[in-house]
Amino acid sequence: MALELKPLHPVFAAEASGVDLRRPLDAATIAAIDAAMDRHAVLVFRDQPMSETEQVACARQFGPLDAGLRKATGAATRFAHEELIDISNLALDGSIAARDAARLVGTLANQLWHSDSSFQNLPIKYSMLSAVAVPETGGDTEWADLRAAFDALPDDLRAAVAGRSARHSTFHSRILLGDDKYTREQLERFAPVEWPLVRTHPGSGRQLLFVGAHCDRIDGMSVPEARLLIAELIEHATQRDFVYRHRWRAGDYVMWDNRSTLHRGRRYDLAARRDLRRTTTLERHAA
Ligand code: OGA
Ligand code: MN
């Protein structure tokens, strides 16, 4: 069967079917998915429950995997595969974690609009989430299209971002949530990086507004002025017309392009099990 696409939103995001992601994909199918990603930026596959091994094998076909912040923290994982990133409210033994557990901070920081790992100087490309267990209510995920955001920039904001770079720091959103106990080594290992505020998306050739929760400074601006501009840019980029909201079902597999979108989780009752597992790829030439 060939890949079939059904738009989920007027601007971006599509439901994809006709492909079993748990089997090795042929080159034509991978090319079709890449092309769909370039166009839609978010692809939702339904009914693809995956084992850890299947999930890692599936993701690897789209590029080398990056373990993100865990490379610096060396935090323990409940998974056999190092490349799987835990997006859950679970403890290492699989039980629901205490609501004040330190390991929940990263998951909670995901509720701020961000692009995965923009705090790393790496060519981050796709993220893919597999839903194992989801709460009955709450815990949706939203994506915003940064290309649509760029196209709709009013002239004054367009002038304000032209030619400027923003600093992205991994600890910014965590410190905002009160998690500020990092060692000097950890802080140095994940030193801030700079990205232009306006970038060109390689797959579509479209310009995009690259902001998010990891941004804490803008070059040539005072910190307060930069923080206010960052807040205004995120507000612009995430206006409802540019946002697709996903209601999860167990077995969903969602892929998105971190270069052309922001995303955030929505609040849910932390006493309800939410078990999502992520992989993140680098552009292929980064291998
Ligand atoms: C992620 C993420 C949001 C969510 O997996 O990278 O930000 O809804 N997830 O869990
Ligand atoms: Mn994320």
Side-chain angles (χ1 to χ4, degrees), residues 63-182:
L65 302 187
D66 182 68
L69 187 58
R70 226 173 61 73
K71 289 183 297 192
T73 62
T77 166
R78 65 191 169 96
F79 302 129
H81 290 270
E82 292 268 298
E83 301 94 331
L84 282 184
I85 300 168
D86 197 353
I87 308 294
S88 78
N89 60 336
L90 305 182
L92 288 177
D93 65 0
S95 64
I96 294 172
R99 25 183 1 122
D100 60 351
R103 63 188 267 108
L104 289 190
V105 175
T107 310
L108 290 170
N110 285 339
Q111 294 185 17
L112 300 167
W113 284 110
H114 65 282
S115 167
D116 288 336
S117 271
S118 73
F119 49 79
Q120 293 197 81
N121 192 13
L122 286 174
I124 300 289
K125 191 176 181 186
Y126 301 154
S127 283
M128 305 173 223
L129 264 181
S130 171
V132 175
V134 295
E136 257 170 51
T137 57
D140 294 357
T141 304
E142 292 178 325
W143 283 269
D145 186 330
L146 295 176
R147 302 172 299 186
F150 178 83
D151 292 346
L153 274 177
D155 289 344
D156 63 321
L157 278 184
R158 193 173 291 235
V161 297
R164 289 197 189 272
S165 291
R167 192 175 91 158
H168 295 238
S169 168
T170 180
F171 301 103
H172 183 56
S173 60
R174 289 161 183 257
I175 290 169
L176 202 72
L177 298 186
D179 177 43
D180 49 12
K181 289 168 205 62
Y182 290 95

Side-chain angles (χ1 to χ4, degrees), residues 147-281:
R147 302 172 299 186
F150 178 83
D151 292 346
L153 274 177
D155 289 344
D156 63 321
L157 278 184
R158 193 173 291 235
V161 297
R164 289 197 189 272
S165 291
R167 192 175 91 158
H168 295 238
S169 168
T170 180
F171 301 103
H172 183 56
S173 60
R174 289 161 183 257
I175 290 169
L176 202 72
L177 298 186
D179 177 43
D180 49 12
K181 289 168 205 62
Y182 290 95
T183 65
R184 258 258 294 285
E185 281 87 352
Q186 287 171 336
L187 293 172
E188 276 167 15
R189 176 82 203 274
F190 272 81
V193 303
E194 299 254 324
W195 294 109
L197 277 165
V198 179
R199 299 171 72 188
T200 301
H201 180 249
S204 60
R206 292 178 64 191
Q207 285 183 291
L208 61 98
L209 177 65
F210 200 63
V211 279
H214 303 309
C215 295
D216 65 349
R217 297 189 185 206
I218 294 177
D219 73 292
M221 269 187 200
S222 70
V223 174
E225 198 188 355
R227 297 258 165 107
L228 290 167
L229 179 57
I230 291 162
E232 187 175 353
L233 292 171
I234 294 174
E235 197 175 317
H236 167 81
T238 60
Q239 53 189 284
R240 299 323 294 175
D241 286 352
F242 308 147
V243 171
Y244 164 67
R245 181 171 185 136
H246 184 67
R247 174 91 210 114
W248 290 98
R249 288 188 222 143
D252 285 352
Y253 188 87
V254 178
M255 296 177 72
W256 68 92
D257 190 328
N258 284 297
R259 303 164 303 182
S260 51
T261 59
L262 292 181
H263 62 282
R264 69 170 176 183
R266 300 315 312 265
R267 191 163 47 79
Y268 62 101
D269 179 359
L270 292 174
R273 171 175 289 264
R274 186 174 191 263
D275 184 355
L276 274 62
R277 298 153 182 209
R278 197 183 91 205
T279 52
T280 292
T281 69

